Amino acid sequence: RKAALGNILATEKAYVRDLQVLQDCYVARVPAQLTRNSKYKLIVKLIGELGATVTRMLDSHTELLKQLEHAADGEPRVGEAFDEFHTHHVRNYFDYCRREEQALADLRQLYSSVTAFRDTLDRLRDTQAQTRGLSMFDYLAKPFQRVIKYPMLLKELLKHTPDAHPDRAQLADAQRAIAATVDEINKNKDKADNLKKLLEINETLRDQPRGFKIVTPGRRFMLEGDVRKISGKNDQDRHLFLFNDMLIYSKRRGAKNYACKGIIALRDLRFESVADSERLRNAIKLTRHDKNLIYYVYWQSAGQKAEWLKALRAATNTLSTLALSTTQYNDRDEYAGAIGVVRVYYRSSSRR
């Protein structure tokens, strides 16, 4: 128990130090150096909003640290300390995680496009010993990284706390409550991440069919990747987007834009692994029942094939009840004739 408590105490001290560095070296200094120019108002606003929550978290964790230090001196108050922390302060993390994702994305974009902002952050990172060479973005990620560790830390402490210990009951209650809250925070963050991805794809995907909406309740992004399609003797570059209810294939139009070339509802799609042969290796057979088409897709390695098979299984196993209609859309990539064969070469992919 002493070792488990010592680990909680040591990591809490490190976290409080990181919050202090974030506040002193970045949150307080960046706006002060940029406010003289009105064009930096958005940067100042974003950092100010995050900074207000960081200040509240710093206050609450400073108090938690004091209580943990008392517990380390022999007072059985760990359960009480975390129970109070959960009751009064954990909600700060909902506010932070709700704002963090979009604010960080905006700040990263501004870091890339606004020279004065980039130079300011780099200078603050490199000239202040307290930062230890870590950027503002590194520190902004720490609150979420910390809060998700509490259930594991408290579970380890509970394991070494005897049933008769006066701290046992309250510690167990606090562990369960914080674990449930962290699970809710994770779910909310997953939802926010998914919505952000859907909006990103919607923004970059051109030529969508009339009336079609990518951002739809219940839809989840699963996997995407650049592919190469061979139709007859012609090689064609394509980019696939897999969701829990459909597969979109598109053609790249510039660095971050795509033209929609086809939509397949997963309810109309069946897939199976194809044994390796001289003609095809690492292949999957896709049968599209709504249009009586068969597609053969394959990748350069068994691992890449396995990744897509796993994603397709996950998507079809959790197929939503969304009514995806593509009847108004003319699928530009389909052949004339009843059977089509498509061969796909894997390039790269990213997943949630």
mmCIF file with all atom_site columns, all heavy atoms in Angstrom, residues 172-197:
data_model
loop_
_atom_site.group_PDB
_atom_site.id
_atom_site.type_symbol
_atom_site.label_atom_id
_atom_site.label_alt_id
_atom_site.label_comp_id
_atom_site.label_asym_id
_atom_site.label_entity_id
_atom_site.label_seq_id
_atom_site.pdbx_PDB_ins_code
_atom_site.Cartn_x
_atom_site.Cartn_y
_atom_site.Cartn_z
_atom_site.occupancy
_atom_site.B_iso_or_equiv
_atom_site.pdbx_formal_charge
_atom_site.auth_seq_id
_atom_site.auth_comp_id
_atom_site.auth_asym_id
_atom_site.auth_atom_id
_atom_site.pdbx_PDB_model_num
ATOM 1   N N   . ALA A 1 172 ? -12.912 2.518  -2.144  1.00 0.00 ? 172 ALA A N   1
ATOM 2   C CA  . ALA A 1 172 ? -13.598 1.698  -3.146  1.00 0.00 ? 172 ALA A CA  1
ATOM 3   C C   . ALA A 1 172 ? -14.699 2.494  -3.834  1.00 0.00 ? 172 ALA A C   1
ATOM 4   O O   . ALA A 1 172 ? -14.879 2.411  -5.056  1.00 0.00 ? 172 ALA A O   1
ATOM 5   C CB  . ALA A 1 172 ? -14.166 0.443  -2.497  1.00 0.00 ? 172 ALA A CB  1
ATOM 6   N N   . ASP A 1 173 ? -15.450 3.274  -3.048  1.00 0.00 ? 173 ASP A N   1
ATOM 7   C CA  . ASP A 1 173 ? -16.510 4.102  -3.635  1.00 0.00 ? 173 ASP A CA  1
ATOM 8   C C   . ASP A 1 173 ? -15.932 5.132  -4.597  1.00 0.00 ? 173 ASP A C   1
ATOM 9   O O   . ASP A 1 173 ? -16.467 5.356  -5.686  1.00 0.00 ? 173 ASP A O   1
ATOM 10  C CB  . ASP A 1 173 ? -17.283 4.812  -2.518  1.00 0.00 ? 173 ASP A CB  1
ATOM 11  C CG  . ASP A 1 173 ? -18.147 3.857  -1.705  1.00 0.00 ? 173 ASP A CG  1
ATOM 12  O OD1 . ASP A 1 173 ? -18.403 2.738  -2.184  1.00 0.00 ? 173 ASP A OD1 1
ATOM 13  O OD2 . ASP A 1 173 ? -18.546 4.246  -0.597  1.00 0.00 ? 173 ASP A OD2 1
ATOM 14  N N   . ALA A 1 174 ? -14.836 5.764  -4.189  1.00 0.00 ? 174 ALA A N   1
ATOM 15  C CA  . ALA A 1 174 ? -14.216 6.778  -5.032  1.00 0.00 ? 174 ALA A CA  1
ATOM 16  C C   . ALA A 1 174 ? -13.681 6.166  -6.321  1.00 0.00 ? 174 ALA A C   1
ATOM 17  O O   . ALA A 1 174 ? -13.816 6.753  -7.404  1.00 0.00 ? 174 ALA A O   1
ATOM 18  C CB  . ALA A 1 174 ? -13.095 7.472  -4.268  1.00 0.00 ? 174 ALA A CB  1
ATOM 19  N N   . GLN A 1 175 ? -13.081 4.984  -6.212  1.00 0.00 ? 175 GLN A N   1
ATOM 20  C CA  . GLN A 1 175 ? -12.535 4.316  -7.400  1.00 0.00 ? 175 GLN A CA  1
ATOM 21  C C   . GLN A 1 175 ? -13.646 3.999  -8.402  1.00 0.00 ? 175 GLN A C   1
ATOM 22  O O   . GLN A 1 175 ? -13.500 4.234  -9.608  1.00 0.00 ? 175 GLN A O   1
ATOM 23  C CB  . GLN A 1 175 ? -11.800 3.040  -7.002  1.00 0.00 ? 175 GLN A CB  1
ATOM 24  C CG  . GLN A 1 175 ? -10.901 2.457  -8.083  1.00 0.00 ? 175 GLN A CG  1
ATOM 25  C CD  . GLN A 1 175 ? -11.630 1.579  -9.083  1.00 0.00 ? 175 GLN A CD  1
ATOM 26  O OE1 . GLN A 1 175 ? -12.690 1.038  -8.760  1.00 0.00 ? 175 GLN A OE1 1
ATOM 27  N NE2 . GLN A 1 175 ? -11.074 1.425  -10.270 1.00 0.00 ? 175 GLN A NE2 1
ATOM 28  N N   . ARG A 1 176 ? -14.767 3.477  -7.913  1.00 0.00 ? 176 ARG A N   1
ATOM 29  C CA  . ARG A 1 176 ? -15.881 3.144  -8.805  1.00 0.00 ? 176 ARG A CA  1
ATOM 30  C C   . ARG A 1 176 ? -16.458 4.395  -9.458  1.00 0.00 ? 176 ARG A C   1
ATOM 31  O O   . ARG A 1 176 ? -16.752 4.414  -10.659 1.00 0.00 ? 176 ARG A O   1
ATOM 32  C CB  . ARG A 1 176 ? -16.978 2.407  -8.024  1.00 0.00 ? 176 ARG A CB  1
ATOM 33  C CG  . ARG A 1 176 ? -16.666 0.949  -7.720  1.00 0.00 ? 176 ARG A CG  1
ATOM 34  C CD  . ARG A 1 176 ? -17.897 0.220  -7.228  1.00 0.00 ? 176 ARG A CD  1
ATOM 35  N NE  . ARG A 1 176 ? -18.344 0.738  -5.932  1.00 0.00 ? 176 ARG A NE  1
ATOM 36  C CZ  . ARG A 1 176 ? -17.932 0.254  -4.767  1.00 0.00 ? 176 ARG A CZ  1
ATOM 37  N NH1 . ARG A 1 176 ? -17.080 -0.751 -4.732  1.00 0.00 ? 176 ARG A NH1 1
ATOM 38  N NH2 . ARG A 1 176 ? -18.388 0.757  -3.630  1.00 0.00 ? 176 ARG A NH2 1
ATOM 39  N N   . ALA A 1 177 ? -16.610 5.455  -8.668  1.00 0.00 ? 177 ALA A N   1
ATOM 40  C CA  . ALA A 1 177 ? -17.196 6.687  -9.205  1.00 0.00 ? 177 ALA A CA  1
ATOM 41  C C   . ALA A 1 177 ? -16.288 7.321  -10.254 1.00 0.00 ? 177 ALA A C   1
ATOM 42  O O   . ALA A 1 177 ? -16.756 7.748  -11.322 1.00 0.00 ? 177 ALA A O   1
ATOM 43  C CB  . ALA A 1 177 ? -17.451 7.677  -8.060  1.00 0.00 ? 177 ALA A CB  1
ATOM 44  N N   . ILE A 1 178 ? -14.993 7.369  -9.977  1.00 0.00 ? 178 ILE A N   1
ATOM 45  C CA  . ILE A 1 178 ? -14.058 7.981  -10.935 1.00 0.00 ? 178 ILE A CA  1
ATOM 46  C C   . ILE A 1 178 ? -13.945 7.130  -12.188 1.00 0.00 ? 178 ILE A C   1
ATOM 47  O O   . ILE A 1 178 ? -13.875 7.653  -13.304 1.00 0.00 ? 178 ILE A O   1
ATOM 48  C CB  . ILE A 1 178 ? -12.688 8.196  -10.271 1.00 0.00 ? 178 ILE A CB  1
ATOM 49  C CG1 . ILE A 1 178 ? -12.788 9.310  -9.215  1.00 0.00 ? 178 ILE A CG1 1
ATOM 50  C CG2 . ILE A 1 178 ? -11.625 8.564  -11.310 1.00 0.00 ? 178 ILE A CG2 1
ATOM 51  C CD1 . ILE A 1 178 ? -11.513 9.539  -8.439  1.00 0.00 ? 178 ILE A CD1 1
ATOM 52  N N   . ALA A 1 179 ? -13.954 5.795  -12.035 1.00 0.00 ? 179 ALA A N   1
ATOM 53  C CA  . ALA A 1 179 ? -13.891 4.911  -13.199 1.00 0.00 ? 179 ALA A CA  1
ATOM 54  C C   . ALA A 1 179 ? -15.097 5.131  -14.109 1.00 0.00 ? 179 ALA A C   1
ATOM 55  O O   . ALA A 1 179 ? -14.963 5.167  -15.338 1.00 0.00 ? 179 ALA A O   1
ATOM 56  C CB  . ALA A 1 179 ? -13.815 3.458  -12.749 1.00 0.00 ? 179 ALA A CB  1
ATOM 57  N N   . ALA A 1 180 ? -16.290 5.275  -13.507 1.00 0.00 ? 180 ALA A N   1
ATOM 58  C CA  . ALA A 1 180 ? -17.496 5.511  -14.304 1.00 0.00 ? 180 ALA A CA  1
ATOM 59  C C   . ALA A 1 180 ? -17.427 6.853  -15.023 1.00 0.00 ? 180 ALA A C   1
ATOM 60  O O   . ALA A 1 180 ? -17.811 6.967  -16.192 1.00 0.00 ? 180 ALA A O   1
ATOM 61  C CB  . ALA A 1 180 ? -18.729 5.451  -13.402 1.00 0.00 ? 180 ALA A CB  1
ATOM 62  N N   . THR A 1 181 ? -16.911 7.871  -14.333 1.00 0.00 ? 181 THR A N   1
ATOM 63  C CA  . THR A 1 181 ? -16.800 9.193  -14.939 1.00 0.00 ? 181 THR A CA  1
ATOM 64  C C   . THR A 1 181 ? -15.781 9.199  -16.067 1.00 0.00 ? 181 THR A C   1
ATOM 65  O O   . THR A 1 181 ? -16.007 9.800  -17.121 1.00 0.00 ? 181 THR A O   1
ATOM 66  C CB  . THR A 1 181 ? -16.420 10.236 -13.878 1.00 0.00 ? 181 THR A CB  1
ATOM 67  O OG1 . THR A 1 181 ? -17.416 10.254 -12.849 1.00 0.00 ? 181 THR A OG1 1
ATOM 68  C CG2 . THR A 1 181 ? -16.311 11.613 -14.489 1.00 0.00 ? 181 THR A CG2 1
ATOM 69  N N   . VAL A 1 182 ? -14.654 8.536  -15.853 1.00 0.00 ? 182 VAL A N   1
ATOM 70  C CA  . VAL A 1 182 ? -13.626 8.467  -16.899 1.00 0.00 ? 182 VAL A CA  1
ATOM 71  C C   . VAL A 1 182 ? -14.164 7.733  -18.117 1.00 0.00 ? 182 VAL A C   1
ATOM 72  O O   . VAL A 1 182 ? -13.885 8.119  -19.265 1.00 0.00 ? 182 VAL A O   1
ATOM 73  C CB  . VAL A 1 182 ? -12.356 7.782  -16.354 1.00 0.00 ? 182 VAL A CB  1
ATOM 74  C CG1 . VAL A 1 182 ? -11.403 7.416  -17.495 1.00 0.00 ? 182 VAL A CG1 1
ATOM 75  C CG2 . VAL A 1 182 ? -11.648 8.702  -15.366 1.00 0.00 ? 182 VAL A CG2 1
ATOM 76  N N   . ASP A 1 183 ? -14.949 6.692  -17.886 1.00 0.00 ? 183 ASP A N   1
ATOM 77  C CA  . ASP A 1 183 ? -15.561 5.975  -19.008 1.00 0.00 ? 183 ASP A CA  1
ATOM 78  C C   . ASP A 1 183 ? -16.484 6.898  -19.793 1.00 0.00 ? 183 ASP A C   1
ATOM 79  O O   . ASP A 1 183 ? -16.493 6.884  -21.035 1.00 0.00 ? 183 ASP A O   1
ATOM 80  C CB  . ASP A 1 183 ? -16.343 4.772  -18.473 1.00 0.00 ? 183 ASP A CB  1
ATOM 81  C CG  . ASP A 1 183 ? -16.893 3.903  -19.601 1.00 0.00 ? 183 ASP A CG  1
ATOM 82  O OD1 . ASP A 1 183 ? -16.097 3.471  -20.453 1.00 0.00 ? 183 ASP A OD1 1
ATOM 83  O OD2 . ASP A 1 183 ? -18.106 3.650  -19.620 1.00 0.00 ? 183 ASP A OD2 1
ATOM 84  N N   . GLU A 1 184 ? -17.229 7.740  -19.083 1.00 0.00 ? 184 GLU A N   1
ATOM 85  C CA  . GLU A 1 184 ? -18.113 8.697  -19.749 1.00 0.00 ? 184 GLU A CA  1
ATOM 86  C C   . GLU A 1 184 ? -17.303 9.734  -20.521 1.00 0.00 ? 184 GLU A C   1
ATOM 87  O O   . GLU A 1 184 ? -17.671 10.116 -21.642 1.00 0.00 ? 184 GLU A O   1
ATOM 88  C CB  . GLU A 1 184 ? -18.992 9.390  -18.708 1.00 0.00 ? 184 GLU A CB  1
ATOM 89  C CG  . GLU A 1 184 ? -20.059 10.291 -19.303 1.00 0.00 ? 184 GLU A CG  1
ATOM 90  C CD  . GLU A 1 184 ? -20.934 10.934 -18.245 1.00 0.00 ? 184 GLU A CD  1
ATOM 91  O OE1 . GLU A 1 184 ? -20.814 10.572 -17.057 1.00 0.00 ? 184 GLU A OE1 1
ATOM 92  O OE2 . GLU A 1 184 ? -21.736 11.819 -18.612 1.00 0.00 ? 184 GLU A OE2 1
ATOM 93  N N   . ILE A 1 185 ? -16.200 10.202 -19.925 1.00 0.00 ? 185 ILE A N   1
ATOM 94  C CA  . ILE A 1 185 ? -15.332 11.159 -20.611 1.00 0.00 ? 185 ILE A CA  1
ATOM 95  C C   . ILE A 1 185 ? -14.785 10.538 -21.891 1.00 0.00 ? 185 ILE A C   1
ATOM 96  O O   . ILE A 1 185 ? -14.746 11.177 -22.951 1.00 0.00 ? 185 ILE A O   1
ATOM 97  C CB  . ILE A 1 185 ? -14.180 11.609 -19.687 1.00 0.00 ? 185 ILE A CB  1
ATOM 98  C CG1 . ILE A 1 185 ? -14.721 12.486 -18.560 1.00 0.00 ? 185 ILE A CG1 1
ATOM 99  C CG2 . ILE A 1 185 ? -13.111 12.364 -20.475 1.00 0.00 ? 185 ILE A CG2 1
ATOM 100 C CD1 . ILE A 1 185 ? -13.687 12.828 -17.499 1.00 0.00 ? 185 ILE A CD1 1
ATOM 101 N N   . ASN A 1 186 ? -14.353 9.279  -21.807 1.00 0.00 ? 186 ASN A N   1
ATOM 102 C CA  . ASN A 1 186 ? -13.824 8.593  -22.988 1.00 0.00 ? 186 ASN A CA  1
ATOM 103 C C   . ASN A 1 186 ? -14.880 8.485  -24.081 1.00 0.00 ? 186 ASN A C   1
ATOM 104 O O   . ASN A 1 186 ? -14.601 8.696  -25.268 1.00 0.00 ? 186 ASN A O   1
ATOM 105 C CB  . ASN A 1 186 ? -13.328 7.198  -22.609 1.00 0.00 ? 186 ASN A CB  1
ATOM 106 C CG  . ASN A 1 186 ? -11.912 7.207  -22.084 1.00 0.00 ? 186 ASN A CG  1
ATOM 107 O OD1 . ASN A 1 186 ? -11.078 7.941  -22.569 1.00 0.00 ? 186 ASN A OD1 1
ATOM 108 N ND2 . ASN A 1 186 ? -11.633 6.402  -21.084 1.00 0.00 ? 186 ASN A ND2 1
ATOM 109 N N   . LYS A 1 187 ? -16.112 8.133  -23.682 1.00 0.00 ? 187 LYS A N   1
ATOM 110 C CA  . LYS A 1 187 ? -17.187 7.994  -24.665 1.00 0.00 ? 187 LYS A CA  1
ATOM 111 C C   . LYS A 1 187 ? -17.492 9.337  -25.323 1.00 0.00 ? 187 LYS A C   1
ATOM 112 O O   . LYS A 1 187 ? -17.690 9.418  -26.543 1.00 0.00 ? 187 LYS A O   1
ATOM 113 C CB  . LYS A 1 187 ? -18.439 7.432  -23.996 1.00 0.00 ? 187 LYS A CB  1
ATOM 114 C CG  . LYS A 1 187 ? -18.326 5.971  -23.606 1.00 0.00 ? 187 LYS A CG  1
ATOM 115 C CD  . LYS A 1 187 ? -19.585 5.488  -22.918 1.00 0.00 ? 187 LYS A CD  1
ATOM 116 C CE  . LYS A 1 187 ? -19.461 4.020  -22.520 1.00 0.00 ? 187 LYS A CE  1
ATOM 117 N NZ  . LYS A 1 187 ? -20.657 3.535  -21.797 1.00 0.00 ? 187 LYS A NZ  1
ATOM 118 N N   . ASN A 1 188 ? -17.547 10.393 -24.502 1.00 0.00 ? 188 ASN A N   1
ATOM 119 C CA  . ASN A 1 188 ? -17.808 11.716 -25.062 1.00 0.00 ? 188 ASN A CA  1
ATOM 120 C C   . ASN A 1 188 ? -16.697 12.149 -26.002 1.00 0.00 ? 188 ASN A C   1
ATOM 121 O O   . ASN A 1 188 ? -16.944 12.768 -27.039 1.00 0.00 ? 188 ASN A O   1
ATOM 122 C CB  . ASN A 1 188 ? -17.970 12.735 -23.930 1.00 0.00 ? 188 ASN A CB  1
ATOM 123 C CG  . ASN A 1 188 ? -19.285 12.580 -23.188 1.00 0.00 ? 188 ASN A CG  1
ATOM 124 O OD1 . ASN A 1 188 ? -20.226 11.983 -23.692 1.00 0.00 ? 188 ASN A OD1 1
ATOM 125 N ND2 . ASN A 1 188 ? -19.354 13.103 -21.976 1.00 0.00 ? 188 ASN A ND2 1
ATOM 126 N N   . LYS A 1 189 ? -15.457 11.835 -25.632 1.00 0.00 ? 189 LYS A N   1
ATOM 127 C CA  . LYS A 1 189 ? -14.327 12.195 -26.490 1.00 0.00 ? 189 LYS A CA  1
ATOM 128 C C   . LYS A 1 189 ? -14.382 11.406 -27.794 1.00 0.00 ? 189 LYS A C   1
ATOM 129 O O   . LYS A 1 189 ? -14.101 11.939 -28.867 1.00 0.00 ? 189 LYS A O   1
ATOM 130 C CB  . LYS A 1 189 ? -13.007 11.937 -25.776 1.00 0.00 ? 189 LYS A CB  1
ATOM 131 C CG  . LYS A 1 189 ? -11.791 12.533 -26.502 1.00 0.00 ? 189 LYS A CG  1
ATOM 132 C CD  . LYS A 1 189 ? -10.538 12.430 -25.682 1.00 0.00 ? 189 LYS A CD  1
ATOM 133 C CE  . LYS A 1 189 ? -9.388  13.214 -26.328 1.00 0.00 ? 189 LYS A CE  1
ATOM 134 N NZ  . LYS A 1 189 ? -9.089  12.803 -27.688 1.00 0.00 ? 189 LYS A NZ  1
ATOM 135 N N   . ASP A 1 190 ? -14.749 10.117 -27.706 1.00 0.00 ? 190 ASP A N   1
ATOM 136 C CA  . ASP A 1 190 ? -14.878 9.310  -28.919 1.00 0.00 ? 190 ASP A CA  1
ATOM 137 C C   . ASP A 1 190 ? -15.941 9.891  -29.851 1.00 0.00 ? 190 ASP A C   1
ATOM 138 O O   . ASP A 1 190 ? -15.761 9.945  -31.074 1.00 0.00 ? 190 ASP A O   1
ATOM 139 C CB  . ASP A 1 190 ? -15.242 7.866  -28.563 1.00 0.00 ? 190 ASP A CB  1
ATOM 140 C CG  . ASP A 1 190 ? -14.067 7.110  -27.977 1.00 0.00 ? 190 ASP A CG  1
ATOM 141 O OD1 . ASP A 1 190 ? -12.922 7.581  -28.114 1.00 0.00 ? 190 ASP A OD1 1
ATOM 142 O OD2 . ASP A 1 190 ? -14.288 6.042  -27.368 1.00 0.00 ? 190 ASP A OD2 1
ATOM 143 N N   . LYS A 1 191 ? -17.069 10.318 -29.254 1.00 0.00 ? 191 LYS A N   1
ATOM 144 C CA  . LYS A 1 191 ? -18.134 10.910 -30.066 1.00 0.00 ? 191 LYS A CA  1
ATOM 145 C C   . LYS A 1 191 ? -17.658 12.191 -30.727 1.00 0.00 ? 191 LYS A C   1
ATOM 146 O O   . LYS A 1 191 ? -17.945 12.450 -31.899 1.00 0.00 ? 191 LYS A O   1
ATOM 147 C CB  . LYS A 1 191 ? -19.359 11.188 -29.194 1.00 0.00 ? 191 LYS A CB  1
ATOM 148 C CG  . LYS A 1 191 ? -20.097 9.944  -28.735 1.00 0.00 ? 191 LYS A CG  1
ATOM 149 C CD  . LYS A 1 191 ? -21.277 10.308 -27.849 1.00 0.00 ? 191 LYS A CD  1
ATOM 150 C CE  . LYS A 1 191 ? -21.993 9.055  -27.353 1.00 0.00 ? 191 LYS A CE  1
ATOM 151 N NZ  . LYS A 1 191 ? -23.112 9.414  -26.442 1.00 0.00 ? 191 LYS A NZ  1
ATOM 152 N N   . ALA A 1 192 ? -16.938 13.012 -29.954 1.00 0.00 ? 192 ALA A N   1
ATOM 153 C CA  . ALA A 1 192 ? -16.428 14.268 -30.508 1.00 0.00 ? 192 ALA A CA  1
ATOM 154 C C   . ALA A 1 192 ? -15.413 14.001 -31.612 1.00 0.00 ? 192 ALA A C   1
ATOM 155 O O   . ALA A 1 192 ? -15.415 14.675 -32.645 1.00 0.00 ? 192 ALA A O   1
ATOM 156 C CB  . ALA A 1 192 ? -15.801 15.107 -29.395 1.00 0.00 ? 192 ALA A CB  1
ATOM 157 N N   . ASP A 1 193 ? -14.543 13.021 -31.396 1.00 0.00 ? 193 ASP A N   1
ATOM 158 C CA  . ASP A 1 193 ? -13.548 12.677 -32.418 1.00 0.00 ? 193 ASP A CA  1
ATOM 159 C C   . ASP A 1 193 ? -14.224 12.187 -33.693 1.00 0.00 ? 193 ASP A C   1
ATOM 160 O O   . ASP A 1 193 ? -13.813 12.528 -34.806 1.00 0.00 ? 193 ASP A O   1
ATOM 161 C CB  . ASP A 1 193 ? -12.604 11.590 -31.891 1.00 0.00 ? 193 ASP A CB  1
ATOM 162 C CG  . ASP A 1 193 ? -11.663 12.100 -30.808 1.00 0.00 ? 193 ASP A CG  1
ATOM 163 O OD1 . ASP A 1 193 ? -11.549 13.331 -30.654 1.00 0.00 ? 193 ASP A OD1 1
ATOM 164 O OD2 . ASP A 1 193 ? -11.056 11.257 -30.109 1.00 0.00 ? 193 ASP A OD2 1
ATOM 165 N N   . ASN A 1 194 ? -15.275 11.368 -33.521 1.00 0.00 ? 194 ASN A N   1
ATOM 166 C CA  . ASN A 1 194 ? -15.980 10.830 -34.680 1.00 0.00 ? 194 ASN A CA  1
ATOM 167 C C   . ASN A 1 194 ? -16.682 11.943 -35.455 1.00 0.00 ? 194 ASN A C   1
ATOM 168 O O   . ASN A 1 194 ? -16.617 11.998 -36.688 1.00 0.00 ? 194 ASN A O   1
ATOM 169 C CB  . ASN A 1 194 ? -16.998 9.784  -34.238 1.00 0.00 ? 194 ASN A CB  1
ATOM 170 C CG  . ASN A 1 194 ? -17.730 9.151  -35.408 1.00 0.00 ? 194 ASN A CG  1
ATOM 171 O OD1 . ASN A 1 194 ? -17.153 8.441  -36.210 1.00 0.00 ? 194 ASN A OD1 1
ATOM 172 N ND2 . ASN A 1 194 ? -19.024 9.432  -35.519 1.00 0.00 ? 194 ASN A ND2 1
ATOM 173 N N   . LEU A 1 195 ? -17.349 12.846 -34.725 1.00 0.00 ? 195 LEU A N   1
ATOM 174 C CA  . LEU A 1 195 ? -18.033 13.960 -35.386 1.00 0.00 ? 195 LEU A CA  1
ATOM 175 C C   . LEU A 1 195 ? -17.036 14.826 -36.135 1.00 0.00 ? 195 LEU A C   1
ATOM 176 O O   . LEU A 1 195 ? -17.292 15.248 -37.270 1.00 0.00 ? 195 LEU A O   1
ATOM 177 C CB  . LEU A 1 195 ? -18.790 14.801 -34.355 1.00 0.00 ? 195 LEU A CB  1
ATOM 178 C CG  . LEU A 1 195 ? -19.478 16.058 -34.895 1.00 0.00 ? 195 LEU A CG  1
ATOM 179 C CD1 . LEU A 1 195 ? -20.480 15.709 -35.987 1.00 0.00 ? 195 LEU A CD1 1
ATOM 180 C CD2 . LEU A 1 195 ? -20.151 16.821 -33.766 1.00 0.00 ? 195 LEU A CD2 1
ATOM 181 N N   . LYS A 1 196 ? -15.902 15.080 -35.518 1.00 0.00 ? 196 LYS A N   1
ATOM 182 C CA  . LYS A 1 196 ? -14.874 15.882 -36.179 1.00 0.00 ? 196 LYS A CA  1
ATOM 183 C C   . LYS A 1 196 ? -14.426 15.213 -37.481 1.00 0.00 ? 196 LYS A C   1
ATOM 184 O O   . LYS A 1 196 ? -14.243 15.877 -38.509 1.00 0.00 ? 196 LYS A O   1
ATOM 185 C CB  . LYS A 1 196 ? -13.681 16.065 -35.257 1.00 0.00 ? 196 LYS A CB  1
ATOM 186 C CG  . LYS A 1 196 ? -12.543 16.864 -35.882 1.00 0.00 ? 196 LYS A CG  1
ATOM 187 C CD  . LYS A 1 196 ? -11.323 16.879 -34.998 1.00 0.00 ? 196 LYS A CD  1
ATOM 188 C CE  . LYS A 1 196 ? -10.152 17.536 -35.705 1.00 0.00 ? 196 LYS A CE  1
ATOM 189 N NZ  . LYS A 1 196 ? -8.897  17.456 -34.921 1.00 0.00 ? 196 LYS A NZ  1
ATOM 190 N N   . LYS A 1 197 ? -14.252 13.889 -37.461 1.00 0.00 ? 197 LYS A N   1
ATOM 191 C CA  . LYS A 1 197 ? -13.817 13.170 -38.656 1.00 0.00 ? 197 LYS A CA  1
ATOM 192 C C   . LYS A 1 197 ? -14.888 13.209 -39.743 1.00 0.00 ? 197 LYS A C   1
ATOM 193 O O   . LYS A 1 197 ? -14.577 13.414 -40.933 1.00 0.00 ? 197 LYS A O   1
ATOM 194 C CB  . LYS A 1 197 ? -13.468 11.720 -38.296 1.00 0.00 ? 197 LYS A CB  1
ATOM 195 C CG  . LYS A 1 197 ? -12.876 10.929 -39.456 1.00 0.00 ? 197 LYS A CG  1
ATOM 196 C CD  . LYS A 1 197 ? -11.550 11.509 -39.910 1.00 0.00 ? 197 LYS A CD  1
ATOM 197 C CE  . LYS A 1 197 ? -10.942 10.709 -41.047 1.00 0.00 ? 197 LYS A CE  1
ATOM 198 N NZ  . LYS A 1 197 ? -9.655  11.282 -41.500 1.00 0.00 ? 197 LYS A NZ  1
#
